Amino acid sequence: MNDMHAAAELPGLDTPNRATLGRLPVHGGRLGYAEEGPDGRLRARVRIPLDEMVWDPAILVMPHGGDLELELVNDDQNTHCALLPSNGDHQFLWLPNHSRGTASLNLDGPGCYWFSSIIGNDEGQGLIAAIVVMGETPPEARLDRPAQPRP
Amino acid sequence: MAAGYVDAGHAVRQSSLSGVVGKAPPVVRDVTYDRIRQARSEPQNWLTYYGAYDGQRYSPLDQIDTETVRRLTPAWVFQAGASGVYTGPSTYAFEAAPLVVDGVMYVSGWDGWVWALDGRTGQELWRYKHAIPSDTGLCCGNVNRGVAVANGKVFVVTLNAHVLALDAETGECVWDMTYGDVRAGESGTVAPLVVKDLVIVGSSGGEFGVRGHLDAFEIDTGRHAWRTYTVPKPGEPGSDTWPADGEAWARGGGNCWVTGTFDPELNLMYWGTGNPSPDFDGAVREGDNLFTDSLIAVDPDNGEIRWHYQYNPHDVWDYDSNMEHILFDSDGRKLLAHFDKNGYFFVLDRTNGELVRVTPFVDRITWGEIDANGKVTAKVYPDNEGEPVRFWPGPGGAKEWTHAAYSPRTQLFYVPVQDVGAEITLRHREFKEGIPYWGAGVVVDSKDMGGSVSAFDPSTGEEVWRWSNDVPMCASVLATGGDLVFAGEPTGEFNAFDARTGELLWQFQTGSGHHSSPTTYSIDGRQYIAVPVGWGSWVEGFLPGMFGAPHGDALFVFALPEE
């Protein structure tokens, strides 16, 4: 997986209990990309680092809609969990301290899909992250009109 | 696995950590086109969006009547709540019309939810959740108006403009087709309509400068059968009602976001179309702008528009005409009725679109007038950049999408009426795909408003009775064989009225405002009334005075006490 730092613009917003009580969700987190395997399935890994209350990466990019095999690692010394978006139903995974699990997700089109740890106030303290699906709607579903200006 | 890690296993469906049964009885397997066509002959069920193809929202069930209704009490309540981060948490609303087939209820929620419930107990039999991008462009909230059923499947559209067929026994997805472009600002909120071997859906997105369309898919395979655009390309019929130069037509709106009705004998569907885009800036789209704000009579076999009737030529008030077209017969004529956002009650000949009668149904109409021949004269409209204009009804309309009902017993129409004005200030803007394209600032009144449930005689257009409320009525009406009319209030009360007099006979406070379509059904001879409750969606457009009202998400089901 490729990744890069998305710099925090305000000191302390990307660290628990500095500027805010938790950490500002997503902002200050890292950006990561899912990689496509020969079977067409996308694969990626996210982890919860020790005492950072953040998913790393905090923004996971899928180059297009489809199936994502996700590895989730909890390197924190507290228990968390993951509620993940997927067509059919949310996918749920307990993540005890120092654990590793997997999830199979299907996301069918462009846009931003959130996932989070839904225990305690993990979401409020920073354990919210985004899966960003790139790409366009299938040609057969698009409007029959000339190309239009976008922002 | 890395050394030392605990094995957390593989993620599971969230519903596996609940009381959901996981399977429903095979009641939809035998729901055929013929059964839907004869839906009123099986009043224990509510087989299609309006209860029957005619759109009357009438049920012959009469166990709950003007006498017994005083003993009506909750039988069960279903609630979904929320977990995780979801789309439009401030705008979601529970808008659906629950369907019921032989004791099993199928109902959609906001944000891609579909549930199968035991109609007797409310037990959750299965659930489906579509993953919705949180950044989907939505003019009017995170909503869905319902499902369709046939041939063992449950059909639903998603906010990100997919149409799905779910296995009615398990909730598993059988097929999934994309029918709109979320990057263009399209979305899906309509309850699908099954006609013959097709499921037909319309698109949402008229506030984003899209080009409206209807799509049909084969119910068994998902194969795309046809698409019909509601705004013509240059050279097509109606294109002369758009500017010859430029691409106004390509951004022209006219979306079909409310379910159509259907006359099997005439083989015609009646779909209403939405506002032209931009909503208020008419200078960029001179002309009548067909087929926006129109009734289009559509051949279900090929999508051909046979004829049309335009209610609001060159609309600059946001007066969508999506709202239902209720089929009824009178004096041997095949007619339909439509209550438009513009405040007028239209009766048309449904064989050819000829106007039979047009009369006002709300007290304040200042935007213009429509004479007895249907001639439209605009009087107040946004015309000068930056200059506010005030008119009634506001863009939420004298009646929003929520539906009227017709009782063949009383031969009256029952209408949820909104009497709210607005101030609109023209603000020209350039079109950019995926960005709202209104062309004005909009402030809807939060004071000096009212509403009613009003009964109208279609033979004269006269109001027969009115139950007045101090805020607009924003939920669909249900009429029954017990000579009752049910309608919910924005303040949470669910009401039963005497269909002949308008007397309020029964009321229950549900705790959140109503913006949905109640339905009725029976199991083993016991009649139930079902109403989703959850205030939200485009509240700032139809009732900003209730913008701070409680935001619930419950499905209430009422019945008489068991002996």
Side-chain angles (χ1 to χ4, degrees), chain A:
Chain A
M1 178 163 43
N2 300 317
D3 57 36
M4 56 181 256
H5 285 279
E9 297 186 3
L10 283 175
L13 286 178
D14 61 343
T15 306
N17 212 7
R18 293 270 181 88
T20 55
L21 299 178
R23 63 176 296 154
L24 197 63
V26 175
H27 302 285
R30 294 193 312 143
L31 186 68
Y33 290 90
E35 293 181 346
E36 189 161 0
D39 58 357
R41 300 177 77 83
L42 296 162
R43 290 176 173 77
R45 180 177 188 265
V46 295
R47 58 185 286 270
I48 303 172
L50 177 63
D51 288 343
E52 292 192 33
M53 291 302 287
V54 67
W55 294 98
D56 180 28
I59 303 171
L60 175 62
V61 178
M62 292 171 60
H64 54 76
D67 294 318
L68 173 67
E69 298 298 332
L70 190 62
E71 180 186 17
L72 300 104
V73 178
N74 181 7
D75 282 325
D76 198 13
Q77 292 177 347
N78 290 301
T79 292
H80 303 288
C81 69
L83 186 73
L84 300 148
S86 185
N87 291 321
D89 198 357
H90 289 298
Q91 296 294 306
F92 180 83
L93 183 68
W94 278 114
L95 287 169
N97 322 15
H98 205 63
S99 66
R100 172 198 170 278
T102 56
S104 300
L105 311 180
N106 177 265
L107 302 171
D108 60 14
C112 176
Y113 303 81
W114 296 93
F115 66 95
S116 58
S117 172
I118 60 168
I119 58 173
N121 189 25
D122 281 6
E123 290 168 311
Q125 295 214 309
L127 277 170
I128 295 178
I131 299 173
V132 172
V133 178
M134 308 286 283
E136 297 286 337
T137 298
E140 64 274 15
R142 291 181 214 158
L143 295 171
D144 180 10
R145 66 179 183 181
Q148 298 294 303
R150 286 184 178 175

Side-chain angles (χ1 to χ4, degrees), chain B residues 350-433:
Chain B
R350 71 173 185 270
T351 67
N352 57 19
E354 175 187 321
L355 178 67
V356 173
R357 185 172 298 102
V358 55
T359 47
F361 69 92
V362 68
D363 291 340
R364 289 184 285 190
I365 300 176
T366 67
W367 65 270
E369 64 181 352
I370 303 176
D371 71 16
N373 297 314
K375 181 186 177 188
V376 178
T377 303
K379 293 180 176 177
V380 180
Y381 47 89
D383 198 29
N384 297 311
E385 179 79 9
E387 182 179 300
V389 294
R390 169 170 291 281
F391 57 82
W392 282 265
K399 175 180 155 301
E400 212 217 353
W401 69 264
T402 52
H403 307 305
Y406 173 76
S407 169
R409 285 172 58 85
T410 64
Q411 299 185 15
L412 297 177
F413 283 88
Y414 304 99
V415 191
V417 177
Q418 307 181 138
D419 185 7
V420 188
E423 184 174 273
I424 307 296
T425 305
L426 185 63
R427 300 286 185 189
H428 177 79
R429 65 151 300 147
E430 295 301 315
F431 174 79
K432 292 177 182 173
E433 195 169 47

Side-chain angles (χ1 to χ4, degrees), chain B residues 180-213:
Chain B
D181 184 356
V182 288
R183 290 207 181 274
E186 290 194 285
S187 55
T189 59
V190 71
L193 181 69
V194 168
V195 173
K196 303 179 188 178
D197 62 345
L198 299 175
V199 57
I200 297 148
V201 295
S203 57
S204 298
E207 273 62 48
F208 290 82
V210 301
R211 187 177 173 220
H213 51 89

Side-chain angles (χ1 to χ4, degrees), chain B residues 4 59 67 80 84 156 166 373 462 475 485 499 545 550:
Chain B
S59 167
E67 294 299 321
V156 67
L166 308 179
N373 297 314
E462 294 293 317
V485 170

Side-chain angles (χ1 to χ4, degrees), chain B residues 12 78 123 181 183 219 245 292 307 402 417 420 422 429 453 480:
Chain B
V12 299
F78 173 77
Q123 183 180 32
D181 184 356
R183 290 207 181 274
I219 60 175
D245 299 327
T292 66
W307 50 259
T402 52
V417 177
V420 188
R429 65 151 300 147
V453 176
T480 72

